[in-house]
């Protein structure tokens, strides 16, 4: 029978503790010393107990720090080191209890985090037979974890992370709101709604933000309106002449950078060789000398760009030696042979101060391979030296972007090369005459006879794409014989066959357009401010009859004259038992008040024609105070009329359109107004028959029915009324400047004027019938047809201008202002001229009708995704996060945290 190690160890330990005799007898039979084994075991156990105590202390520190996982690991190691013996029982039980406590707290923490699998593993580890299988609290917690109705298992770690993120964003939004950064606050609330779409707090926060932003916009509206009215009043100010202002100076324009062929040409003309001395030298020797001098004399600071690469090619492209070319006679100054490039085909005179070039005597033909150059020049440009050498050796100069080639005269320098370019989609159409149009219109019903059309050209179509060759020719590209260009819209590729210099030009055009996917968003605001101010202060006197020194002489004053008749409704006091006003006769009848045909304020001429019925009868201004003497002699009444009115009407139209650079865009907010222009005159029959009579014996009224065809329109026209803006934006080379060609126009319908007049049936007088001796009744004049011919009146305000602005800036176009001022100062003669008291016999009316149209045009650069090129969104500040202090843990005490689910903040 095999005994367990623990029983064996305890037996040995017991033998060791018995008497020495028994131990000695046992030792004689054991292969090893029992005392040595026991001592080693005791030492090991004491060491394990010390180590376990240290682990328990480390676990206690981790528990205080809230790191339950690390604490549990320390306690577990302590339990594993201690055996189930009498000496270690107390320490082992202490380690097991703390291990169970740490694991239970860790499980509850994992439950709060939604990590239920880890929580279950932690509890099951406690219930293992080696630790505490009978732990009541662990069993209850495990049952709760396994019960799906006790804990909400949908509260995953991601859910808890979202909860914390929502809390943080709500705090950020509140702080942004408190500091007045409403755009950032609104952004935080939207981020919350991206995670929690039904978050009521975020929606309420957005409502508060919108309310604050709306409050600001209301104040901005009031400020804009007050500024517009101030500008209208300021327009009456005449500018003051300025003295002593000097004119602007001349602005020096810096040198223009060159590349390619232009850069090489500039170097050839800029580098000056102090002295050239050739005597019977070969062409190659002369070229090598010039190459060396170009590097020595070039002042370019970049070492890699010093000098000019000169390549000598004595054979044509086919590889054969060039035939001898006729060399001109060598006068004092050698004549230049055709060079093959512009500007080099004329004889090159020697520069001033240069001695005569001594040319070698040449025969009638010069072979470039055998040619010898004898030349003496001082202070001459490198280009001129090359001209002399090529003219003496039967060669010509070909300048490439990176080198200068000296080739035979028979070499074909104009070589056609095929090259493919990847161009943006709008490369060809960007210069087409297409328009981007935004139109908002209300069309009139097009019916009736006659033709008609739109004055503004309402129908439009997409512009036809310009051919690639035509487009390139319009941009300065030359196509020699055999050259071609094709644009493939499906892949946005441009295939061109042309010479190298023309391909370089095309490459420059492509580079200028590549990467420029910038579009321009145009927003126009048409703001019309109308202000009608009316002020009036007048006095009306009514005076009755009175006695003068007796009962036979009476006095009185005041008549209505040419003014309005006295209306009892305009006065406060009336005669007792009568509707007549006290005083009867107006003393101030000539003083105008109120509005109407005979009032102080009247409409202008065009308004009187357009709206005659709107003026109505004359009405007096309202009375605010009245004094009357009813039982006095004479009776009198004075009415104080005062009025102060302000009326504002503001109109705003803000359409928006996006277009490409260089393309015209049209914004229309219009109403199509269709009106007749030609009419068929009314038709009246020449013969009229039949009729009806009424009345008894002795006659009556005879009515004759005449059929009339009224005026009929036969032709129509259409006029667009409303707001139209034509704008052509061009983005500058800096990518931030925008040139705008603006043509804003506002067309308004004012009303109709009737150019027709009614057609009347003339009246017929009564006549005596000779047979009956009775009089026939007279026939009154009647209107056969009103013959209405209405023609509209339009008002147009239009501006044409060109400006340059920065990206996301606004152009303000004003000056479309109008102010009608009516002032009336009426007074009674003599009485109105008296000091102080004369004001009681005067009427003062002042009306100002102001209209100010301001046009705001904003341009913003955007990319094809619609995002602005220059972002103006407020950048987020780095907010320092404060770590909350850890809650103090009382060793051996304290309750467990609540395990209730934490809902999203609402």
């Amino acid at each position: 029978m095999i005994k367990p190690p623990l029983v064996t160890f305890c037996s040995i330990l017991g033998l060791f503790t018995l008497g020495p005799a028994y131990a000695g007898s046992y030792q004689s039979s054991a292969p090893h010393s029992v005392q040595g084994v026991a001592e080693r075991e005791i030492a090991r156990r004491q060491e394990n107990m010390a180590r376990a105590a240290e682990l328990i202390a480390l676990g206690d520190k981790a528990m205080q720090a809230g790191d339950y996982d690390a604490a549990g690991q320390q306690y577990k190691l302590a339990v594993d080191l201690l055996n189930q013996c009498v000496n270690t029982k107390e320490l082992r039980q202490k380690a097991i209890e703390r291990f169970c406590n740490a694991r239970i707290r860790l499980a509850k923490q994992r439950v709060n985090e939604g990590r239920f699998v880890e929580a279950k593993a932690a509890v099951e580890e406690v219930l293992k037979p080696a630790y505490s299988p009978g732990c009541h609290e662990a069993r209850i917690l495990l049952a709760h974890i396994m019960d799906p109705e006790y804990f909400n298992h949908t509260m995953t770690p991601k859910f808890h992370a979202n909860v914390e993120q929502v809390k943080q964003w709500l705090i950020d939004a509140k702080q942004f709101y408190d500091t007045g950064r409403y755009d950032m606050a609104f952004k935080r609330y939207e981020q919350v709604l991206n995670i929690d779409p039904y978050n009521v707090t975020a929606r309420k926060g957005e409502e508060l933000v919108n309310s604050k932003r709306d409050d600001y916009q209301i104040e901005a509206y009031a400020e804009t309106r007050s500024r517009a009215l101030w500008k209208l009043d300021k327009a009456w100010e005449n500018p003051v002449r300025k003295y002593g202002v000097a004119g602007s100076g001349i602005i020096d324009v810096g040198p223009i950078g060159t590349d390619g062929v232009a850069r090489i040409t500039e170097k050839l003309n800029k580098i000056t060789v102090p002295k050239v001395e050739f005597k019977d030298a070969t062409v190659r020797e002369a070229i090598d000398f010039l190459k060396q001098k170009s590097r020595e004399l070039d002042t370019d600071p970049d070492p890699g760009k010093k000098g000019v690469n000169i390549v000598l090619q004595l054979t044509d492209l086919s590889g054969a030696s060039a035939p001898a070319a006729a060399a001109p006679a060598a006068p004092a100054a050698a004549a230049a042979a055709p060079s093959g490039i512009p500007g080099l085909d004329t004889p090159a005179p020697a520069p001033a101060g240069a001695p005569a070039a001594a040319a070698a005597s040449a025969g009638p033909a010069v072979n470039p391979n055998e040619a010898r150059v004898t030349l003496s020049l001082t202070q001459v440009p490198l280009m001129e030296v090359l001209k002399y050498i090529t003219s003496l050796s039967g060669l010509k100069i070909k300048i490439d972007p990176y080198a200068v080639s000296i080739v035979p005269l028979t070499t074909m320098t104009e070589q056609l090369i095929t090259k493919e370019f990847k161009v943006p989609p709008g490369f060809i159409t960007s210069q087409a005459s297409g328009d981007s149009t935004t139109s908002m219109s209300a069309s009139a019903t097009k019916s009736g006879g006659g033709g008609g059309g739109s004055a503004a050209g309402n129908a439009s179509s997409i512009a036809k794409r310009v051919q690639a060759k035509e487009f390139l020719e319009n941009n300065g590209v030359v196509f020699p014989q055999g050259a071609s260009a094709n644009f493939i819209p499906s892949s946005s590729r441009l295939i061109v066959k042309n010479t190298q210099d023309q391909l370089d030009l095309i490459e420059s055009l492509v580079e200028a357009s590549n990467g420029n996917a910038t579009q321009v968003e145009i927003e126009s605001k048409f703001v019309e401010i109308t202000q009608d101010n009316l002020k009036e202060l007048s006095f009306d006197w009514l005076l009755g009859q009175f006695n003068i020194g007796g009962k036979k002489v009476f006095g009185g004053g005041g008549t209505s004259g040419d003014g309005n008749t006295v209306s009892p409704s305009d006065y406060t006091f009336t005669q007792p038992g009568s509707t007549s006003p006290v005083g009867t006769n107006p003393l101030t009848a000539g003083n105008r008040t109120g509005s109407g045909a005979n009032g102080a304020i009247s409409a202008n001429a065009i308004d009187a024609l357009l709206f005659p019925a709107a003026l109505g009868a004359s009405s007096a201004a309202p009375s605010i105070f009245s004094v009357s003497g009813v039982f006095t002699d004479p009776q009198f009444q004075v009415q104080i009329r005062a009025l102060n009115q302000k009326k504002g009407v503001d109109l705003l139209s803000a359409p928006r359109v996006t277009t490409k650079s260089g393309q015209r865009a049209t914004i229309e907010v219009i109403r199509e107004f269709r009106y007749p222009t030609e009419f068929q005159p009314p038709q009246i029959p020449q013969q009229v028959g039949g009729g009806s009579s009424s009345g008894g014996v002795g006659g009556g009224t005879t009515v004759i029915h005449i059929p009339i065809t009224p005026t009929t329109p036969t032709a129509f026209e259409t006029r667009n009324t409303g707001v139209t803006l034509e704008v052509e934006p061009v983005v500058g080379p800096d990518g931030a400047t925008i040139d705008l060609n603006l043509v804003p126009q506002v067309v308004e319908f004012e009303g109709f004027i009737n150019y027709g007049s009614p057609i009347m049936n003339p009246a017929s007088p009564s006549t005596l019938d000779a047979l009956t001796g009775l009089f026939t009744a007279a026939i009154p004049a009647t209107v056969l047809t009103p013959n209405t011919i209405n023609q509209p009146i339009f008002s147009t305000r239009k501006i044409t201008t060109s400006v340059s602005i920065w990206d996301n800036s606004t152009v303000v176009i004003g000056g479309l202002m109008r102010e009608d001022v009516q002032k009336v100062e009426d007074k009674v003669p003599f009485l109105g001229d008296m000091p102080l008291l004369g004001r009681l016999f005067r009427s003062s009316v002042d009306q100002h009708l102001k209209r100010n149209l301001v046009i705001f045009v904003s341009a913003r650069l955007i990319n094809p995704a619609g995002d602005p090129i220059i972002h103006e969104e407020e950048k987020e500040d780095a907010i320092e996060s404060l770590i909350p202090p850890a809650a103090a843990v009382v060793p051996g005490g304290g309750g467990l945290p609540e395990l209730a689910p934490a809902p999203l903040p609402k």
Side-chain angles (χ1 to χ4, degrees):
M1 179 179 178
I2 301 175
K3 297 181 179 179
L6 182 61
V7 177
T8 304
F9 175 75
C10 291
S11 301
I12 296 174
L13 187 62
L15 291 175
F16 181 76
T17 57
L18 293 176
Y22 185 80
S25 62
Y26 185 84
Q27 291 174 2
S28 61
S29 61
H32 301 287
S33 174
V34 176
Q35 184 178 1
V37 173
E39 290 177 354
R40 287 194 299 269
E41 182 64 22
I42 292 173
R44 186 181 67 82
R45 294 192 63 175
Q46 291 177 350
E47 181 180 355
N48 289 344
M49 291 177 64
R51 176 61 180 161
E54 294 178 359
L55 292 174
I56 292 174
L58 293 176
D60 293 342
K61 291 182 180 180
M63 287 290 289
Q64 292 178 1
D67 190 354
Y68 305 128
D69 190 10
Q73 296 291 339
Q74 302 296 335
Y75 294 143
K76 181 180 179 182
L77 291 175
V79 173
D80 294 340
L81 286 175
L82 300 173
N83 295 322
Q84 297 180 0
C85 296
V86 177
N87 296 335
T88 61
K89 181 178 179 181
E90 182 178 356
L91 184 61
R92 189 172 187 275
Q93 185 63 30
K94 179 181 178 182
I96 289 176
E97 291 177 357
R98 299 196 178 187
F99 170 70
C100 295
N101 185 27
R103 280 292 184 256
I104 290 174
R105 290 198 178 191
L106 176 64
K108 292 181 179 181
Q109 187 181 55
R110 293 294 184 260
V111 168
N112 288 333
E113 296 173 354
R115 299 158 67 176
F116 296 99
V117 176
E118 298 180 11
K120 178 184 176 183
V123 175
E124 289 177 344
E125 188 177 11
V126 172
L127 297 176
K128 287 182 178 181
Y131 302 107
S132 181
C135 181
H136 180 69
E137 186 178 1
R139 289 181 178 276
I140 294 176
L141 181 58
L142 180 61
H144 289 169
I145 293 174
M146 300 301 295
D147 187 1
E149 295 183 358
Y150 193 85
F151 290 121
N152 187 355
H153 287 255
T154 62
M155 299 174 62
T156 61
K158 181 179 179 182
F159 175 83
H160 287 280
N162 290 340
V163 170
E164 297 302 322
Q165 184 64 71
V166 166
K167 290 180 180 178
Q168 184 60 44
W169 278 342
L170 289 177
I171 294 173
D172 293 347
K174 182 64 170 57
Q175 292 175 351
F176 282 132
Y177 176 84
D178 293 339
T179 56
R181 301 167 67 179
Y182 302 121
D183 293 337
M184 288 300 303
F186 194 87
K187 178 181 177 181
R188 282 291 183 266
Y189 286 130
E190 283 190 328
Q191 289 175 330
V192 170
L193 292 173
N194 287 333
I195 296 179
D196 184 11
Y198 300 102
N199 194 292
V200 178
T201 303
R203 286 299 184 188
K204 289 183 178 179
E206 287 184 338
E207 182 181 0
L208 292 175
V209 170
N210 291 332
S211 177
K212 287 294 184 180
R213 293 196 293 192
D214 185 60
D215 292 342
Y216 167 76
Q217 298 302 335
I218 291 175
E219 295 301 327
Y221 158 76
E223 188 275 333
T224 302
R225 190 173 184 277
S226 63
R227 185 188 304 181
L229 295 175
W230 163 70
K231 288 184 177 180
L232 182 60
D233 292 331
K234 187 176 181 295
W236 288 100
E237 177 188 6
N238 289 327
V240 179
R241 179 182 176 185
K242 298 182 182 298
Y243 297 91
V245 179
S248 59
I250 300 175
I251 301 176
D252 295 332
V253 181
I256 301 175
T258 57
D259 269 330
V261 176
R263 183 176 61 85
I264 298 295
T265 305
E266 182 184 10
K267 279 196 173 186
L268 292 175
N269 292 322
K270 185 177 180 180
I271 298 175
T272 301
V273 183
K275 184 176 182 180
V276 177
E277 190 74 32
F278 295 135
K279 186 175 181 180
D280 201 20
T282 63
V283 178
R284 188 169 301 277
E285 292 173 346
I287 296 301
D288 291 341
F289 172 79
L290 295 180
K291 288 168 62 176
Q292 181 181 358
K293 284 296 182 183
S294 67
R295 296 188 184 95
E296 296 176 357
L297 301 175
D298 194 356
T299 59
D300 196 323
D302 189 356
K305 295 183 180 180
K306 280 186 174 293
V308 179
N309 295 325
I310 306 176
V311 180
L312 178 61
Q313 180 182 337
L314 299 180
T315 57
D316 58 11
L317 297 178
S318 61
S321 179
S339 61
I341 61 175
L344 299 182
D345 295 339
T346 56
S361 58
V366 177
N367 189 343
N369 293 301
E370 302 175 356
R372 293 293 185 269
V373 178
T374 300
L375 190 64
S376 178
L377 298 172
T378 57
Q379 295 297 328
V380 62
L382 185 58
M383 174 69 81
E384 300 299 330
V385 179
L386 288 176
K387 288 182 182 180
Y388 284 122
I389 294 175
T390 54
S391 64
L392 294 175
S393 57
L395 301 171
K396 63 180 179 181
I397 302 174
K398 180 176 180 292
I399 302 179
D400 295 324
Y402 302 101
V404 177
S405 299
I406 308 299
V407 297
L409 294 175
T410 57
T411 301
M412 181 62 182
T413 57
E414 298 295 329
Q415 182 181 2
L416 298 181
I417 304 172
T418 302
K419 190 172 183 179
E420 179 181 322
F421 300 92
K422 292 182 179 180
V423 298
F427 178 70
I428 299 297
T429 58
S430 60
Q431 298 297 330
S433 59
D435 296 338
S436 299
T437 304
T438 296
S439 179
M440 301 165 59
S441 62
S443 302
T445 304
K446 298 182 179 180
S447 61
S454 174
N458 298 322
S460 61
S461 59
I462 298 178
K464 184 179 180 181
R465 189 185 299 274
V466 180
Q467 295 297 324
K469 184 176 180 181
E470 179 183 354
F471 170 77
L472 295 175
E473 287 178 342
N474 292 336
N475 284 272
V477 179
V478 179
F479 284 84
Q481 185 177 3
S484 62
N486 294 290
F487 175 67
I488 303 175
S490 60
S491 58
S492 294
R493 280 177 166 80
L494 178 66
I495 301 176
V496 182
K497 182 179 181 182
N498 211 323
T499 59
Q500 182 61 50
D501 55 344
Q502 298 302 317
L503 290 177
D504 293 341
L505 176 57
I506 297 174
E507 186 174 359
S508 300
L509 295 175
V510 174
E511 288 179 357
S513 62
N514 269 333
N516 186 18
T518 304
Q519 302 179 106
V520 184
E521 182 184 64
I522 305 295
E523 181 181 9
S524 59
K525 293 182 182 179
F526 295 79
V527 181
E528 184 172 26
I529 308 297
T530 303
Q531 183 75 21
D532 187 357
N533 297 340
L534 176 61
K535 294 181 181 180
E536 178 180 352
L537 179 61
S538 59
F539 299 85
D540 274 359
W541 288 81
L542 295 182
L543 185 64
Q545 298 177 357
F546 58 93
N547 295 322
I548 300 178
K551 298 183 179 180
K552 296 183 179 181
V553 180
F554 295 90
T559 61
S560 60
D562 294 334
N564 300 324
T565 58
V566 176
S567 175
S569 61
D570 294 336
Y571 296 90
T572 305
F573 298 98
T574 57
Q575 297 284 355
S578 174
T579 58
S580 300
V582 173
T584 309
N585 300 321
L587 187 65
T588 56
N591 293 0
R592 290 165 292 182
T593 179
S595 62
N598 298 322
I601 302 301
S602 60
N604 56 35
I606 187 66
D607 289 339
L609 288 174
L610 295 175
F611 312 105
L615 298 178
S618 176
S619 59
S623 174
I624 62 172
F625 187 72
S626 178
V627 177
S628 176
V630 180
F631 300 103
T632 60
D633 188 13
Q635 292 183 342
F636 72 93
Q637 182 174 179
V638 58
Q639 296 283 338
I640 303 176
R641 305 188 185 278
L643 185 63
N644 194 339
Q645 292 180 337
K646 288 185 178 182
K647 180 181 179 181
V649 179
D650 305 329
L651 299 177
L652 173 63
S653 176
R656 181 182 298 181
V657 68
T658 301
T659 184
K660 294 181 180 179
S661 175
Q663 283 194 307
R664 182 171 60 94
T666 302
I667 299 175
E668 295 180 345
V669 184
I670 60 174
R671 183 188 298 271
E672 293 184 357
F673 188 91
R674 188 174 173 85
Y675 60 94
T677 56
E678 297 181 7
F679 298 85
Q680 183 179 357
Q683 302 293 328
I684 303 177
Q686 300 297 326
Q687 296 181 355
V688 179
S692 61
S693 61
S694 62
V697 180
T701 301
T702 301
V703 180
I704 300 177
H705 301 284
I706 303 176
I708 299 296
T709 302
T711 302
T712 305
T714 58
F716 294 85
E717 285 187 3
T718 301
R719 179 75 177 268
N720 291 339
T721 60
V723 175
T724 302
L725 174 65
E726 293 185 10
V727 56
E728 182 182 3
V730 178
V731 181
D734 56 357
T737 307
I738 306 174
D739 288 346
L740 295 177
N741 295 325
L742 301 172
V743 184
Q745 178 176 292
V746 179
V747 179
E748 296 178 341
F749 168 67
E750 298 288 347
F752 286 104
I753 292 181
N754 182 14
Y755 290 96
S757 57
I759 298 178
M760 307 291 295
N761 182 25
S764 176
S766 60
T767 58
L768 179 63
D769 192 345
L771 297 178
T772 61
L774 300 175
F775 285 93
T776 59
I779 301 176
T782 57
V783 178
L784 298 179
T785 176
N787 193 32
T788 302
I789 303 177
N790 285 332
Q791 288 296 289
I793 289 182
F794 302 96
S795 64
T796 302
R797 286 174 284 180
K798 182 177 180 181
I799 291 178
T800 302
T801 183
S802 297
V803 294
S804 295
I805 63 174
W806 295 112
D807 176 28
N808 207 17
S809 298
T810 301
V811 180
V812 182
I813 304 175
L816 301 177
M817 298 180 293
R818 172 183 172 183
E819 181 172 11
D820 295 336
V821 180
Q822 295 189 37
K823 289 190 176 183
V824 174
E825 293 286 348
D826 291 345
K827 62 182 178 180
V828 177
F830 304 112
L831 297 178
D833 295 331
M834 292 187 301
L836 300 178
L837 294 178
R839 184 64 185 88
L840 300 178
F841 297 93
R842 291 199 300 264
S843 295
S844 176
V845 183
D846 188 0
Q847 184 189 42
H848 292 258
L849 180 58
K850 307 175 182 181
R851 299 182 66 185
N852 186 3
L853 176 63
V854 184
I855 302 173
F856 301 87
V857 180
S858 302
R860 184 176 66 160
L861 299 178
I862 61 175
N863 56 23
D867 300 326
I869 301 297
I870 301 177
H871 293 276
E872 289 192 344
E873 185 179 7
E874 183 179 4
K875 295 183 179 179
E876 300 184 15
D877 297 335
I879 302 177
E880 183 180 359
S881 59
L882 300 177
I883 301 176
V889 178
V890 180
L896 296 177
E898 295 293 335
L899 299 179
L904 286 173
K906 297 294 183 182

